[in-house]
Amino acid sequence: GAVVSQHPSRVICKSGTSVKIECRSLDFQATTMFWYRQFPKQSLMLMATSNEGSKATYEQGVEKDKFLINHASLTLSTLTVTSAHPEDSSFYICSASSRGGTEAFFGQGTRLTVV
Amino acid sequence: SQQGEEDPQALSIQEGENATMNCSYKTSINNLQWYRQNSGRGLVHLILIRSNEREKHSGRLRVTLDTSKKSSSLLITASRAADTASYFCATEGTGGFKTIFGAGTRLFVKA
């Protein structure tokens, strides 16, 4: 299957700072990328959908000003958690699909801990 | 809720036994996928079944799909301790590639 790389795999930051997570499609052009959040012992919750070159579409209840998503190229999308707080500590996973593709491929996730 | 429902939420079995997990969803789908996740790590894609398929096999895995009941099941035969993980179903709706995950089943296989 196609490869999606997510970086960093783990990050610890201080409360109030911002953290950027990258999601790259290594061997295909990702016209659409998705960002998910997973709290301990819970399922993955879709946060937003981003299409290359346009604004992301956020799911209900997700603050777009807090979770900034940029999908400036066909191989890279970034999620920036702004002014992070301990309650933002979570596992964040991206997935990517190509135009005309029938599957989305997942990155390995980023564990964010805000102290 | 955007999530589908999975049952059981947790399942504990002995090595060698079969494990069956069920998933129900709410909307029309293009496909349904099953994933495994070990201890909060990344997802491992197990199998994809399309809406026009009813059953699919991959090694010790057997997946069924009943679109009339909007449900799917994952059967793991001859389970091993290494199968201990959380299992999620995920559906891709007909409106796009948005993949929505079920609540998951935590499987514990005792050696």
Side-chain angles (χ1 to χ4, degrees), chain A residues 46-57:
Chain A
L46 180 64
M47 299 174 67
T49 303
S50 73
N51 292 297
E52 185 265 337
S54 61
K55 289 184 178 180
T57 302

Side-chain angles (χ1 to χ4, degrees), chain A:
Chain A
V3 179
V4 174
S5 174
Q6 195 171 332
H7 177 81
S9 58
R10 289 178 179 270
V11 58
I12 300 173
C13 71
K14 290 184 178 180
S15 190
T17 62
S18 295
V19 174
K20 181 183 284 188
I21 302 170
E22 294 186 349
C23 180
R24 293 181 186 273
S25 57
L26 299 187
D27 52 2
F28 69 102
Q29 292 185 329
T31 50
T32 306
M33 286 189 172
F34 305 90
W35 287 95
Y36 295 83
R37 178 170 56 187
Q38 184 183 35
F39 291 109
K41 292 184 167 43
Q42 295 187 26
S43 186
L44 285 77
M45 297 297 294
L46 180 64
M47 299 174 67
T49 303
S50 73
N51 292 297
E52 185 265 337
S54 61
K55 289 184 178 180
T57 302
Y58 290 80
E59 296 298 305
Q60 192 172 9
V62 179
E63 299 174 59
K64 62 179 181 181
D65 294 331
K66 181 167 183 64
F67 299 99
L68 301 179
I69 292 172
N70 184 288
H71 190 169
S73 79
L74 286 171
T75 58
L76 174 65
S77 176
T78 60
L79 167 67
T80 301
V81 183
T82 63
S83 186
H85 289 97
E87 56 265 33
D88 298 323
S89 297
S90 187
F91 193 58
Y92 293 86
I93 304 179
C94 70
S95 70
S97 64
S98 61
R99 181 175 291 118
T102 57
E103 290 182 45
F105 300 94
F106 284 82
Q108 285 302 299
T110 297
R111 183 161 302 284
L112 169 64
T113 303
V114 184
V115 298

